[in-house]
Amino acid sequence: MTEEFFMREALRIARHAEGRTSPNPLVGAVVVRDGKIVAQGWHRKAGTPHAEIHALNMAGELSRGATLYVTLEPCSHFGRTPPCARAIVDAGIKKVVAAMSDPNPKVAGRGFDILRSAGIEVEVGLLEDEARKLNEAFLKWVTRKLPFVTLKFACSLDGKIATVGGQSQWISCEASRKFSHGLRDINDAILVGIGTVLADNPSLTTRLVDGKNPVRVIVDSNARIPLDATVVTDKSARTIVAVTSNAPPEKISALENLGVETVTAGDGQRVDLRILMHELAAREITSVLVEGGATIHFAMLQAQLVDKVLAFVAPKILGGSQALTAVAGAGFDKLSDAVELENFTVQQVGADFLLSGYVRGVSP
């Protein structure tokens, strides 16, 4: 077995906790002795032991003289838990192979310094690209103080998200809808515009068994959301309503009395989405799934806040010049202003096709 094999195993097990560790990163670790994995562990939730601690505890005395493969630089500071770098030294590990250094200013090479000072051999960079993709949300949040934003929509082959009569359920197939609920499960928050709430009164929860409901963020400049809206009354998940300073104070008070958080993002006619993203990041929301409607889609793209786009395309043609498209708003005047995607992939999901890519020039 090769070093790459052991690191891939660490990356694989790190995903066991996908959507559960925020604001911490996903981390996997394996202890290898005499060419065999003798222990492994992954970080499960913020405030609980890190991946290295789980692996070292499992290995026990087998850690002495062994090699530790870990997907991210071991921490060096006291945060919610004690530093892992010191525990690695105490366990008698001989060599540490890390996929990447931790850009968190509280770590940023200090973990490696502790290991090297104790005489432990350190190698960094094995499968770094895969490790960065694993933690793309954490990396953006910790370095730029912004959440990683995924724009997701389902449309027909001709780009419509509803018929000319307004019917939208269901354009995508059941497999695509299940996939979408999986996206809600692994993202910290789901964001929609007030138009979506007024039109559909959605719950914006995850329908998966043992699924995690994301924080629900409603962009609602003038606080038009009904007090009996599902996202206000069902208590299934935390709800944040983003408004401007023009929103009626009495409506804000009524929402807050019902347990809804409000965030004032700007004093113009519309919510300043960049201010809102910084406010969400300050609340330790590291990833946001944007699910509608078409106007908010364009606004997020225009503000250059989207990192990744996921489009479920159904093999249906709806037609209709007045039928809603996936992205509306004012639109871009010139082709040179268009949002371009890179690292583009296509996969089949049930009867649909999932097109995904990263926004060029925006992703971390």
Side-chain angles (χ1 to χ4, degrees), residues 3 58 68 105 147 157 168 329:
E3 286 199 324
M58 182 179 181
L68 176 70
L157 195 59
S168 61

Side-chain angles (χ1 to χ4, degrees), residues 79-132:
R80 291 181 170 96
T81 57
C84 292
R86 182 53 57 189
I88 292 170
V89 173
D90 294 341
I93 289 290
K94 178 181 68 175
K95 179 180 177 182
V96 171
V97 180
M100 61 176 291
S101 59
D102 190 341
N104 185 342
K106 295 179 180 178
V107 185
R110 295 183 183 89
F112 294 144
D113 290 343
I114 291 173
L115 299 177
R116 291 189 176 107
S117 295
I120 296 175
E121 182 183 353
V122 176
E123 292 183 5
V124 185
L126 180 62
L127 300 184
E128 182 172 353
D129 289 344
E130 288 91 333
R132 286 188 171 278

Side-chain angles (χ1 to χ4, degrees), residues 184-201:
R184 293 183 182 185
D185 176 62
I186 64 174
N187 278 273
D188 291 348
I190 180 171
L191 181 148
V192 300
I194 182 58
T196 295
V197 175
L198 295 176
D200 302 331
N201 191 27

Side-chain angles (χ1 to χ4, degrees), residues 1 60 75 104 165 168 176 192 288 329:
M1 296 182 184
C75 64
N104 185 342
S168 61
S176 292
V192 300
V288 174

Side-chain angles (χ1 to χ4, degrees), residues 191-192 194 216-224 239-244 247 252 255 260-265 270-273 276-277 279-280:
L191 181 148
V192 300
I194 182 58
R216 302 174 293 196
V217 181
I218 316 301
V219 179
D220 184 13
S221 300
N222 296 306
R224 292 187 293 148
T239 298
I240 298 174
V241 175
V243 300
T244 69
I252 299 299
L255 288 168
V260 173
E261 292 180 56
T262 61
V263 173
T264 301
R270 296 187 179 278
V271 166
D272 186 315
L273 294 172
L276 173 59
M277 291 301 110
E279 289 286 344
L280 296 180

Side-chain angles (χ1 to χ4, degrees), residues 13-172:
I13 63 175
R15 289 195 177 277
H16 288 336
E18 194 167 18
R20 304 300 186 270
T21 63
S22 182
N24 287 357
L26 291 163
V27 182
V30 297
V31 178
V32 175
R33 188 179 179 123
D34 299 326
K36 296 180 180 179
I37 295 176
V38 296
Q40 61 184 27
W42 62 91
H43 183 42
R44 284 144 166 89
K45 183 180 180 181
T48 66
H50 291 183
E52 301 94 319
I53 304 304
H54 284 296
L56 294 174
N57 287 343
M58 182 179 181
E61 285 301 310
L62 292 176
S63 295
R64 299 207 169 274
T67 298
L68 176 70
Y69 292 81
V70 63
T71 57
L72 186 68
E73 176 183 358
C75 64
S76 57
H77 65 292
F78 280 89
R80 291 181 170 96
T81 57
C84 292
R86 182 53 57 189
I88 292 170
V89 173
D90 294 341
I93 289 290
K94 178 181 68 175
K95 179 180 177 182
V96 171
V97 180
M100 61 176 291
S101 59
D102 190 341
N104 185 342
K106 295 179 180 178
V107 185
R110 295 183 183 89
F112 294 144
D113 290 343
I114 291 173
L115 299 177
R116 291 189 176 107
S117 295
I120 296 175
E121 182 183 353
V122 176
E123 292 183 5
V124 185
L126 180 62
L127 300 184
E128 182 172 353
D129 289 344
E130 288 91 333
R132 286 188 171 278
K133 187 172 183 180
L134 174 73
N135 278 310
E136 56 193 8
F138 168 76
L139 294 176
K140 182 180 180 183
W141 177 76
V142 81
T143 59
R144 297 173 55 188
K145 306 304 179 187
L146 286 169
F148 185 91
V149 177
T150 301
L151 172 61
K152 170 256 162 185
F153 56 84
C155 66
S156 63
L157 195 59
D158 53 341
K160 309 297 185 181
I161 60 173
T163 66
V164 69
Q167 185 180 359
S168 61
Q169 297 180 343
W170 298 100
I171 289 177
S172 59

